[in-house]
Amino acid sequence: MEVAASASEVPVTILAAKVDFYNGVTVDSTTLPHDASSFDSVLSASLEHWKKEGKRGVWLGIPIALSHLIPTAAKHGFVFHSAEPASVMMTRWLPDNETCLLPDGASHTVGVGGFVYNAEKRELLVIREKYIPTGMAPFYKLPGGYVKAGEALGLAAEREVEEETGIKAEFQGIITFSSVLTAAAATTLRHMHPHLFSNSDIYFVALLKPLSFATSRQEEEIEEVLWMPIDEYRTHPSVNAVNQRIASLFVESLGQGRPALGLETIELTSDWMKAKTFHDLYTFCNTDAKGN
Amino acid sequence: MEVAASASEVPVTILAAKVDFYNGVTVDSTTLPHDASSFDSVLSASLEHWKKEGKRGVWLGIPIALSHLIPTAAKHGFVFHSAEPASVMMTRWLPDNETCLLPDGASHTVGVGGFVYNAEKRELLVIREKYIPTGMAPFYKLPGGYVKAGEALGLAAEREVEEETGIKAEFQGIITFSSVLTAAAATTLRHMHPHLFSNSDIYFVALLKPLSFATSRQEEEIEEVLWMPIDEYRTHPSVNAVNQRIASLFVESLGQGRPALGLETIELTSDWMKAKTFHDLYTFCNTDAKGN
């Protein structure tokens, strides 16, 4: 907490906070009082102060060790926004007669599958997972997994392929992606993964060129790793329809100059935030589908 | 709460819960005791019971009205997983000597920009937003916004374009996308949007064919809507480098048969979960870049 230099005559004790570029306020979580009653008083005064100053949204991150403060925040109109294992972000929109314009939290998980193709033998690297839903037949899929926040798609594919199969492979480009799902399917998915609430999934397929060929299984999660003839994978009964289709499109593209998505990175420098951001832009290239 | 038919001799009172396909347990949030002390006892007994039964992960959604139960859950080893405005999901991994295999929560926000091109006049539909960061010069961008969980990319683009500009337009295909960001840039973004923690953003650009031409501005969020000659947009100083590049790639593609991503929807039926899912698969097509 700090004594703020306020526009009013009497200094008011309010929560330590930073003002953001959109005239919102982010509370410094490291300075929260540990006692719920003190928190109640200072939060009350802070909200009044920020409203007078015309502030718009308030961001309040609460560490799990201080989770006893959450009911107090909720009493003052805060709702949940997003979560990390050890903290939850709560928000409150201040203007009384305006629609809340605070941005949504993350809504999608992003997965990437590695399409690791051995052109010489016309074989594809496939895996069977150790843990599959009860009652489900085992099936062959592409090695892959979740893209971490802030991770480039190609690097995620290379990392997951190596972790699961021991194969070192080099990212060539994104060859396709599927966006799951339509509204109808989202309802379905909610039953499938209750823990994901109503989140969506986007699944990218990255073409990788193998740099090694001897497989080694990640024992915790993977039951089997093998190089399968790609023509077998296209129609294998233990391969789902989406993956069959992707393999077929790839085979049809071979030698026909069908495009893959090329990658160029554009750097943006912003004066106002004194920082750079990098945008991996996937664009169409008319080169060979690579992998040859 | 319910009296479970347990394998032990004495029936144990445990939390009502459903077992999922991965041998995980999802607690029925509607039956949580409202009193923290009762919750403490029943949660203790439940965890012991589930461990004996070999259950793996526990999913515990806590409504905001019962947020006083969160410290008790935290005491028993639960951590936060994900959040919706009125509830937070907590998880606990049960096997003592195994790495936690519970899936991550949503990590990405997904945005879509509508590239609405009037082929006859060679004009692009662009907007200026009302709320821009303090100290930043206004800039022209594509109308668009966040893709909702479970929403198809094309429908999201049509919806956002109509909401912001009043233009009805028809989805033709995805023409490119950018994945923000490399690890270095993720660090940068954390400063930019502290409320998003370390989330990432994927931004798709959807090609739309305008079906109407008279614009009407969404007053709450948009300052200006206009049709701008596309050649002007390619080099306009108030257009960022990523958007300039996208417009240039599009102009270069006109009439040259450069590809857009075609869309096909694949339906998967799963016996084990007795449900269908729909996968919008974007694949390469060698047709004209459309928009003509």
Side-chain angles (χ1 to χ4, degrees):
Chain A
M1 283 176 286
E2 64 182 10
V3 178
S6 123
S8 59
E9 304 82 38
V10 191
V12 185
T13 301
I14 61 159
L15 289 164
K18 277 191 181 171
V19 178
D20 66 29
F21 302 111
Y22 295 90
N23 207 19
V25 168
T26 302
V27 175
D28 180 351
S29 298
T30 64
T31 65
L32 293 176
H34 290 206
D35 161 63
S37 157
S38 308
F39 179 61
D40 194 12
S41 312
V42 73
L43 185 57
S44 241
S46 301
L47 289 171
E48 199 179 330
H49 176 78
W50 293 326
K51 271 191 184 173
K52 273 190 198 149
E53 286 197 326
K55 295 289 179 286
R56 296 167 66 78
V58 181
W59 300 93
L60 172 65
I62 299 189
I64 197 164
L66 299 183
S67 57
H68 58 280
L69 304 181
I70 294 174
T72 305
K75 190 184 81 178
H76 285 283
F78 281 81
V79 295
F80 295 121
H81 179 267
S82 45
E84 291 183 337
S87 69
V88 67
M89 183 62 83
M90 302 185 78
T91 58
R92 188 180 188 293
W93 181 245
L94 291 176
D96 285 329
N97 297 314
E98 285 180 40
T99 312
C100 173
L101 294 179
L102 298 177
D104 291 340
S107 54
H108 287 64
T109 48
V110 175
V112 64
F115 196 98
V116 188
Y117 182 64
N118 179 344
E120 199 182 326
K121 295 191 171 180
R122 287 181 67 98
E123 285 175 347
L124 185 65
L125 183 68
V126 302
I127 57 140
R128 270 196 307 124
E129 287 178 336
K130 199 160 179 175
Y131 296 102
I132 53 173
T134 313
M136 190 178 186
F139 63 109
Y140 291 104
K141 52 184 281 192
L142 304 177
Y146 285 116
V147 178
K148 295 177 183 172
E151 188 179 34
L153 300 176
L155 292 178
E158 290 178 354
R159 174 182 56 74
E160 286 285 349
V161 164
E162 186 168 0
E163 279 174 14
E164 292 187 353
T165 71
I167 297 290
K168 287 183 193 299
E170 192 179 65
F171 176 59
Q172 305 287 298
I174 295 293
I175 52 172
T176 188
F177 68 94
S178 69
S179 158
V180 188
L181 307 155
T182 64
T187 313
T188 306
L189 252 203
R190 203 166 307 166
H191 292 289
M192 188 175 163
H193 290 301
H195 47 278
L196 291 181
F197 292 82
S198 52
N199 290 335
S200 278
D201 189 61
I202 292 187
Y203 179 72
F204 291 90
V205 178
L207 181 63
L208 301 176
K209 182 180 171 181
L211 306 175
S212 66
F213 299 91
T215 62
S216 66
R217 178 170 68 89
Q218 181 193 45
E219 294 195 5
E220 272 178 343
E221 295 184 46
I222 308 297
E223 189 63 32
E224 184 186 3
V225 174
L226 77 161
W227 288 100
M228 185 183 278
I230 196 159
D231 287 321
E232 187 180 335
Y233 193 79
R234 294 169 70 181
T235 55
H236 197 295
S238 298
V239 172
N240 81 30
V242 177
N243 280 349
Q244 284 182 348
R245 180 73 180 128
I246 291 169
S248 287
L249 287 165
F250 180 79
V251 168
E252 288 164 21
S253 81
L254 287 174
Q256 292 191 25
R258 252 172 168 260
L261 287 179
L263 170 61
E264 52 188 271
T265 299
I266 297 180
E267 181 183 318
L268 285 186
T269 304
S270 163
D271 285 342
W272 61 271
M273 66 173 192
K274 294 171 179 50
K276 292 177 184 180
T277 55
F278 298 87
H279 297 247
D280 278 353
L281 186 67
Y282 293 86
T283 59
F284 303 106
C285 56
N286 274 320
T287 58
D288 234 42
K290 300 175 179 170
N292 282 310
Chain B
M1 280 176 287
E2 65 182 9
V3 177
S6 125
S8 59
E9 306 82 39
V10 191
V12 185
T13 302
I14 61 158
L15 289 163
K18 278 191 181 170
V19 177
D20 67 30
F21 300 111
Y22 295 90
N23 207 18
V25 167
T26 302
V27 175
D28 180 352
S29 298
T30 63
T31 65
L32 292 176
H34 289 205
D35 161 62
S37 157
S38 309
F39 179 61
D40 193 13
S41 312
V42 73
L43 185 58
S44 239
S46 302
L47 288 172
E48 200 179 330
H49 176 78
W50 293 325
K51 271 190 185 175
K52 273 190 199 152
E53 287 198 325
K55 296 289 180 283
R56 297 170 64 78
V58 181
W59 300 93
L60 171 66
I62 299 189
I64 197 164
L66 299 182
S67 56
H68 57 280
L69 303 181
I70 294 174
T72 306
K75 190 184 82 177
H76 286 283
F78 281 81
V79 294
F80 295 122
H81 179 266
S82 45
E84 290 184 338
S87 69
V88 67
M89 183 62 84
M90 300 184 81
T91 59
R92 189 178 186 300
W93 181 245
L94 291 177
D96 284 329
N97 298 315
E98 284 181 40
T99 311
C100 173
L101 293 179
L102 298 177
D104 290 340
S107 55
H108 287 65
T109 49
V110 175
V112 64
F115 196 98
V116 188
Y117 182 64
N118 178 343
E120 201 182 322
K121 295 192 171 181
R122 290 179 66 97
E123 285 176 347
L124 185 65
L125 184 66
V126 302
I127 56 139
R128 270 197 305 126
E129 287 178 337
K130 199 160 178 176
Y131 297 102
I132 54 172
T134 312
M136 192 179 183
F139 64 107
Y140 290 105
K141 52 184 280 189
L142 303 176
Y146 285 116
V147 178
K148 295 176 184 172
E151 187 179 35
L153 299 177
L155 293 178
E158 290 178 356
R159 175 181 56 72
E160 286 284 349
V161 164
E162 186 167 1
E163 280 175 14
E164 292 186 351
T165 70
I167 297 290
K168 286 184 194 298
E170 194 178 65
F171 176 59
Q172 305 286 298
I174 295 292
I175 51 171
T176 189
F177 67 94
S178 67
S179 159
V180 187
L181 314 151
T182 64
T187 312
T188 306
L189 252 202
R190 203 166 307 166
H191 292 289
M192 189 176 162
H193 290 301
H195 47 279
L196 292 180
F197 292 81
S198 54
N199 291 334
S200 278
D201 188 62
I202 292 187
Y203 179 72
F204 291 92
V205 177
L207 181 63
L208 301 175
K209 182 181 171 181
L211 305 175
S212 65
F213 299 91
T215 62
S216 65
R217 179 169 68 89
Q218 181 194 44
E219 295 195 6
E220 271 177 343
E221 293 185 47
I222 308 297
E223 188 63 34
E224 184 185 2
V225 174
L226 77 163
W227 288 100
M228 185 184 277
I230 195 160
D231 287 321
E232 188 180 335
Y233 192 79
R234 296 169 70 181
T235 56
H236 198 295
S238 298
V239 172
N240 81 30
V242 178
N243 281 348
Q244 285 182 347
R245 180 73 180 129
I246 292 169
S248 287
L249 286 165
F250 180 78
V251 168
E252 289 164 19
S253 80
L254 288 173
Q256 293 192 23
R258 252 171 168 262
L261 287 179
L263 171 61
E264 52 188 271
T265 299
I266 298 179
E267 183 182 316
L268 285 187
T269 305
S270 163
D271 286 341
W272 61 271
M273 65 173 191
K274 294 172 179 50
K276 291 177 183 178
T277 55
F278 299 88
H279 297 246
D280 278 353
L281 185 67
Y282 293 86
T283 58
F284 304 106
C285 55
N286 274 322
T287 60
D288 235 42
K290 298 177 180 169
N292 284 310

